[in-house]
Amino acid sequence: MTGVISPPKETEQVVGKPINRVDGRLKVMGAARYAAEIPQDNIAHAVLIQSIIAKGRIKDIDTSEAERAPGVLAVITHRNAPKLNSKTDGSMVEGKPGEDLVPLQSDEVFYDGQHIGVVVAETFEQAKHAASLVHVTYEEERPTVEIEQGLSKAYQPKQFFGEELQVQRGDVAKAFAEAEVKIEQTYTTPIEHHNPMESSASIAAWNGNQLTVYDATQWVIGTRNIVAHALGIPEESVRIISHFVGGGFGCKGYTWWHTILAAVAARLVGRPVKLVITRQQMFSSCGHRPPTIQQLTLSATRDGKLTAIRHVTTSQTSEVDECVEPCGLTTRLLYASPNLEVTHNLVRVNTGTPTSMRAPGEASGTFALESALDELAYELGIDPVELRIINHTDVNPQTGKPWSSKYLKECYQKGAERFGWSRRNPTPSSMRDGDYLIGWGMATATYPGYRSPASAKAQLFADGRAVVSSATHDLGTGTYTIMTQIAADVLGLPVERIEFKLGESSMPKAPVAGGSQSAASVAPAVQGAAEELRSRVIRLAIDDESSPLYRAAQQAISTENGRVFLKNEPSRGETYAEILQRNNLPVVEVEAIANTAASESQQSSDNKVVRICVGKNENSDWQQYAFQSFGAQFAEVRIHPRLGQVRVTRFVSAIDVGRILNHKTARSQILGGITFGLGMALMEETVLDQNSGRLVVRNLADYHVPVQADIGDIDVLFIDKPDPHISRMGVRGVGEIGITGVAAAVANAIYHATGKRIRDLPITPDKLL
C-alpha cells in the first residue's frame, strides 16, 4: 500500500479514550433490535418439539390432533421433513454446525431435548399449544450420563483447532521419581451453561429463491455458509443479519439447527417464520461447557523450581459429535518446566454436544493448574506470587518461540500492590474480622492472542460523512465503538460523523466473534481501509488545479475535523466535502483485507472503488513469535464459619492484552469475565438425572448465576502496552481472559480463610461445612 498519511502527532487521538458506547443510546431507549424483534409482515411462529428421553427411538409420533388445532399451518417431523445436508469436516474457517446430528432425519434419539419436530402456527401461543398436542411414543434405552459410566470406552482426541492435545516433553516419570517435593490431586468441574440474556432466535423469510435470516449469531459469514450447505442452495442466495447480539459467550459461535429449521418452516408455509429458543430449551439446544476430571501432578525442587508437570483431563462429548474441553493446552506454556505430559481423554455420553464456552479449556484448566500451584506453594512455604515468578518463562516452553510481548511480571507487581498482598498472613485461618474468616488468594490469568484475516470497507460521502463496515459482531463487547474510534483517528473526523456498520453477511468478510479475536483481526482492516480512503481523497486534492493543496507533498498534509490542510500552514486547505463535490463524486470507497498472505491490490475501472491488502509483513511475525495474553487475579473472601457462606468482597485484576482501544469497554469486558468466573467458582452447575439422563436444572431459578448483590468491589488494571508483532494496532483480544484464573483465585482464598481445600466446583456451603 502506498501513500498512507499518518495522523499528525499534535492531533488528539480518540483511540484509547473511555468514550461512551456509540450504540448505547439505542440500547437504553429500546431501539436496538435483536434477532427476534425484527418486524415482518404476515409472520408465522414456530415452536420446537423436543425429546423427553435421553436414548432410544421414536416408536410413534401422532400429529393429527396438533394439525387440527386452531391456527396451525404445519407440523414437521422426521416423517415429512425435507432432506438436509450435514457438514462434518469440523472446519471453523467457513463455518461449522453446533453438532453433526441433522434433526428430523430419523427416529433415533441421542439426548434429552433433541429436536424431534416443529409446529408452525399463526401465533406463538397457538404453536405452543399445538406442540403440546403431539403425542410421542418411545422405545427407551438406558443412557450413559456420567463420565465414570463411560470410562471403559474413553478415547484420546488428537487436536483442538490445530493444537495437539496429547503432548509430552522430557522424562516426566524420571522427574517424579527424583522429586524433592511432589503433589498429586484431582480437580473436577461440572456442566455449565452460557445463559446469555438474549436466548437464541431466528426469523427466516424467503423472497423467491433468496433467503434472509435474522439470527442471534456470533458469525454471520459462518451461519450463511452452513445454512446454504444444509439447504443445498448457493451461498449467494442466503443473507444473514445480526446487528445486535445480547450476549453469546460461545453458544452462538456455531450455527445450531433451529436456524435451519426456521428456514425450512418458512419455505414450507410460504411466509416469514420466527423461531425463538425458550430459556428451558437453551439448556439442550445450544451446547454447554462439559464437565471435567483433571488429575494434576507437580514436582519441584525445594527452592520452588518446577521439575515436571502432568495434567490429565477427562471430559465428555455427545454420541453424535466430538467437542473437547482442552484444559491442558494452557499447562503446556504457562510455566517453565523441562518435563511435561498433557493428556486429554473423551467419553461419549447421552447429552447434547458441548461447545465452546468463554475461554474453553483455559477457564476449567486454570482452575486445576492454579489450585495445584497454590497447594505446591504451601507445601514449599513459598509465597504464591513468588512461586509463579520463580517459574516465569520468557519463551513459549512448548515451541521455544519468544512471546510477541509479555508483561506478566508487571501484572503480578501492580496487582499485588493494588490488592495489598504484602499484608497477607500466609497461615490459613489467621485473618479474621469479628466472626468472619478472611482469605486472600491469587492465580495467573492467560488466554491466546488469536487473529484471523478480516476485511473492512470505508466510504466517504460528499456531505462529509464516513461509513465503515465489516461482517463482524458486537455481543456487548464494544465493537461498534472501538471501530468508530479507529476510523475517527485515521480520517480526522469527529466520532459523530462516522457510522460503523456490522452484522450482515453481505458486508466484507470477518471471522467468528469468538476466540477473543475480533479487535485483533478487524481493527487492522478498519485502520487500513480508512488510511487508504484518506490517502485517495488527499490525492484528489493534490492533483486538482482548483484545490488550495494542488501539488502539495502528501507527507505535508494533515486532517482534522473533516478538513484537509497543510501542517505548517493550516489556513491552506479544504474540507472532504468540498473535494468530493468539486470532483462530482457522491462517494469514494475502499475495501481492505488485513492479516492475509495475499499481496494483490485491485482498483475498479471507474476509479471509485479500490481493494487493498494491508499488514502482509505480519504473517512472518506469526511464524516467529508466540502470541498470548496474561494477567494476575487477586481475590478476597469473607466466610462465616458456621454457615459456610462465601462472599467475594474484593477482587483485583491486572491484565496485559496489548494496546487498549477503549478503557471503558475493555474494563467492562474484564468485569464481565470476572463475574462469570465468580459464578463458575461458587454457583454454576447443571445437573442431570442419573437414571433417565434428563436435565434436572433447566432454568434460571435453579441454575444460579451472580447478580449485582453478589459482586463486591472489582478493580481492573491494564498494562496497556502495544503488542508490536500481532498487528500495527498492537491489539490482542480482551473478551475471555477475564474469566481465567478467577475460580482458582477464589478457591485459593477460601483455603487461606478456612484451611479447607475444595477441589470440586462449584464451592457451595455444604462443601465447607
Side-chain angles (χ1 to χ4, degrees):
M1 184 176 64
T2 60
V4 173
I5 311 299
S6 299
K9 292 182 180 179
E10 64 271 20
T11 301
E12 187 176 6
Q13 300 283 291
V14 68
V15 167
K17 292 190 177 302
I19 71 168
N20 292 332
R21 295 173 185 266
V22 298
D23 54 325
R25 183 175 177 81
L26 286 175
K27 290 181 175 178
V28 299
M29 296 294 288
R33 285 178 170 163
Y34 294 78
E37 301 176 323
I38 309 301
Q40 295 287 311
D41 292 334
N42 198 31
I43 195 166
H45 297 262
V47 168
L48 292 168
I49 306 167
Q50 295 186 311
S51 166
I52 60 170
I53 69 168
K55 186 177 183 180
R57 290 182 176 275
I58 298 171
K59 185 176 181 180
D60 182 54
I61 184 165
D62 183 357
T63 61
S64 58
E65 189 177 355
E67 289 165 348
R68 294 192 301 268
V72 171
L73 302 172
V75 181
I76 311 169
T77 70
H78 69 278
R79 291 179 173 176
N80 61 347
K83 184 181 184 307
L84 299 172
N85 298 319
S86 176
K87 190 178 179 95
T88 59
D89 63 3
S91 169
M92 275 297 284
V93 176
E94 294 299 330
K96 184 185 183 302
E99 68 179 16
D100 284 344
L101 176 67
V102 185
L104 313 190
Q105 304 295 294
S106 80
D107 61 0
E108 290 185 280
V109 175
F110 296 96
Y111 58 88
D112 176 41
Q114 180 179 318
H115 304 331
I116 61 173
V118 183
V119 175
V120 188
E122 295 285 352
T123 69
F124 169 73
E125 290 77 12
Q126 288 173 332
K128 186 177 180 181
H129 172 65
S132 71
L133 302 177
V134 175
H135 302 290
V136 185
T137 306
Y138 299 95
E139 290 182 359
E140 190 172 0
E141 300 176 36
R142 186 169 181 83
T144 301
V145 181
E146 292 287 310
I147 289 177
E148 291 82 358
Q149 293 175 290
L151 282 176
S152 62
K153 297 181 180 179
Y155 69 99
Q156 294 188 341
K158 293 182 179 180
Q159 292 188 333
F160 177 81
F161 293 121
E163 296 282 354
E164 294 296 327
L165 288 168
Q166 317 302 332
V167 178
Q168 197 160 13
R169 65 173 184 257
D171 191 334
V172 170
K174 181 180 178 183
F176 286 156
E178 299 173 352
E180 296 177 27
V181 178
K182 177 182 171 184
I183 66 162
E184 185 172 6
Q185 297 293 350
T186 298
Y187 306 86
T188 62
T189 63
I191 296 176
E192 298 163 7
H193 274 85
H194 309 70
N195 279 306
M197 187 71 73
E198 176 203 28
S199 64
S200 293
S202 303
I203 295 177
W206 291 86
N207 183 6
N209 292 323
Q210 297 295 309
L211 172 64
T212 299
V213 181
Y214 299 91
D215 196 46
T217 177
Q218 292 174 224
W219 196 14
V220 286
I221 298 295
T223 298
R224 178 200 64 189
N225 296 346
I226 290 300
V227 169
H229 179 83
L231 298 176
I233 61 177
E235 290 176 2
E236 55 268 25
S237 297
V238 180
R239 185 184 183 198
I240 308 295
I241 299 175
S242 182
H243 293 153
F244 295 96
V245 183
F249 317 120
C251 73
K252 297 171 184 172
Y254 296 90
T255 304
W256 297 92
W257 286 97
H258 65 268
T259 302
I260 291 99
L261 293 178
V264 168
R267 184 155 58 179
L268 181 64
V269 301
R271 292 167 56 176
V273 167
K274 178 191 293 190
L275 196 164
V276 179
I277 303 296
T278 68
R279 180 59 58 185
Q280 290 76 21
Q281 290 171 343
M282 287 290 291
F283 281 80
S284 60
S285 303
C286 303
H288 56 272
R289 195 194 301 278
T292 69
I293 299 171
Q294 300 178 60
Q295 297 165 298
L296 253 295
T297 309
L298 304 178
S299 65
T301 60
R302 283 288 171 191
D303 59 2
K305 282 279 189 182
L306 287 167
T307 59
I309 305 173
R310 175 183 286 143
H311 191 168
V312 180
T313 299
T314 303
S315 63
Q316 66 182 37
T317 188
S318 71
E319 287 197 349
V320 298
D321 207 340
E322 180 177 288
C323 179
V324 184
E325 185 74 0
C327 298
L329 293 188
T330 295
T331 307
R332 302 172 309 165
L333 55 82
L334 195 50
Y335 301 110
S337 175
N339 305 290
L340 176 96
E341 183 181 307
V342 169
T343 303
H344 291 87
N345 303 309
L346 266 183
V347 173
R348 295 195 181 275
V349 298
N350 291 107
T351 66
T353 303
T355 194
S356 298
M357 183 170 173
R358 201 170 197 167
E362 287 83 10
S364 303
T366 54
F367 164 64
L369 176 62
E370 292 299 293
S371 294
L373 214 65
D374 196 68
E375 297 201 48
L376 180 63
Y378 277 98
E379 182 70 23
L380 293 167
I382 298 176
D383 181 87
V385 175
E386 181 61 28
L387 180 63
R388 286 161 173 80
I389 294 173
I390 289 171
N391 291 285
H392 181 275
T393 174
D394 292 322
V395 300
N396 183 321
Q398 187 61 31
T399 65
K401 294 180 181 179
W403 303 111
S404 57
S405 73
K406 183 178 183 181
Y407 297 97
L408 179 54
K409 288 181 180 178
E410 287 84 346
C411 291
Y412 291 141
Q413 176 193 350
K414 292 181 180 295
E417 288 176 358
R418 183 68 64 90
F419 189 80
W421 186 259
S422 61
R423 302 194 303 272
R424 172 180 179 269
N425 183 331
T427 304
S429 303
S430 62
M431 297 174 64
R432 291 176 175 264
D433 181 10
D435 290 338
Y436 288 87
L437 300 169
I438 305 299
W440 288 5
M442 63 82 56
T444 302
T446 189
Y447 191 78
Y450 291 128
R451 175 193 87 182
S452 296
S455 302
K457 180 189 290 184
Q459 299 170 293
L460 186 65
F461 292 86
D463 61 1
R465 294 179 301 117
V467 174
V468 183
S469 58
S470 179
T472 186
H473 292 270
D474 193 327
L475 292 83
T477 52
T479 305
Y480 274 116
T481 306
I482 61 174
M483 299 305 166
T484 300
Q485 290 176 268
I486 293 167
D489 275 352
V490 175
L491 295 173
L493 282 172
V495 166
E496 298 76 19
R497 298 290 289 166
I498 293 174
E499 180 183 8
F500 184 71
K501 294 183 176 181
L502 53 71
E504 296 191 23
S505 59
S506 57
M507 293 175 178
K509 275 189 174 184
V512 60
S516 298
Q517 65 174 325
S518 290
S521 303
V522 180
V526 169
Q527 181 189 46
E531 285 176 338
E532 183 63 22
L533 178 63
R534 181 173 176 267
S535 180
R536 288 204 69 221
V537 176
I538 289 174
R539 290 200 300 269
L540 286 173
I542 292 172
D543 295 339
D544 186 352
E545 294 182 5
S546 302
S547 172
L549 298 174
Y550 180 54
R551 290 186 175 177
Q554 289 195 32
Q555 61 270 24
I557 295 176
S558 185
T559 58
E560 186 175 358
N561 201 28
R563 188 170 175 273
V564 184
F565 57 89
L566 288 177
K567 293 179 186 178
N568 60 359
E569 192 180 347
S571 62
R572 185 179 162 190
E574 59 182 333
T575 66
Y576 284 139
E578 289 171 333
I579 296 171
L580 267 64
Q581 289 167 13
R582 191 172 58 250
N583 284 274
N584 296 315
L585 291 173
V587 63
V588 177
E589 63 182 55
V590 172
E591 184 173 333
I593 310 171
N595 305 326
T596 176
S599 59
E600 299 82 6
S601 293
Q602 302 171 349
Q603 187 161 314
S604 64
S605 57
D606 59 7
N607 201 39
K608 291 183 179 179
V609 181
V610 64
R611 184 177 176 87
I612 61 169
C613 295
V614 297
K616 297 183 291 296
N617 62 316
E618 292 155 8
N619 289 285
S620 60
D621 284 357
W622 200 253
Q623 302 300 321
Q624 296 175 27
Y625 294 93
F627 295 84
Q628 193 82 6
S629 290
F630 298 95
Q633 313 279 34
F634 294 84
E636 176 186 86
V637 298
R638 183 181 178 90
I639 302 174
H640 196 290
R642 292 189 299 277
L643 300 178
Q645 181 190 57
V646 179
R647 303 284 295 182
V648 180
T649 49
R650 283 196 306 133
F651 204 96
V652 172
S653 182
I655 299 294
D656 164 31
V657 286
R659 184 184 186 186
I660 301 299
L661 297 178
N662 182 311
H663 276 266
K664 182 178 287 187
T665 58
R667 178 177 179 272
S668 179
Q669 282 298 287
I670 298 299
L671 290 176
I674 292 169
T675 303
F676 214 122
L678 296 179
M680 179 182 186
L682 302 174
M683 303 175 187
E684 297 189 45
E685 180 178 17
T686 302
V687 179
L688 278 68
D689 183 275
Q690 299 303 298
N691 295 313
S692 68
R694 297 211 68 195
L695 286 156
V696 176
V697 171
R698 59 194 313 150
N699 56 54
L700 290 178
D702 298 323
Y703 187 93
H704 299 152
V705 296
V707 296
Q708 192 67 37
D710 297 312
I711 305 302
D713 180 66
I714 300 178
D715 198 354
V716 178
L717 312 173
F718 288 112
I719 301 299
D720 196 10
K721 293 183 180 180
D723 184 329
H725 302 289
I726 195 164
S727 74
R728 294 186 302 152
M729 294 294 300
V731 176
R732 296 195 301 269
V734 72
E736 291 170 273
I737 190 174
I739 187 178
T740 67
V742 173
V746 172
N748 295 340
I750 289 172
Y751 175 77
H752 179 236
T754 65
K756 295 181 180 180
R757 180 69 66 176
I758 309 299
R759 304 182 182 93
D760 176 35
L761 293 184
I763 304 175
T764 47
D766 58 296
K767 296 174 184 176
L768 285 170
L769 294 175

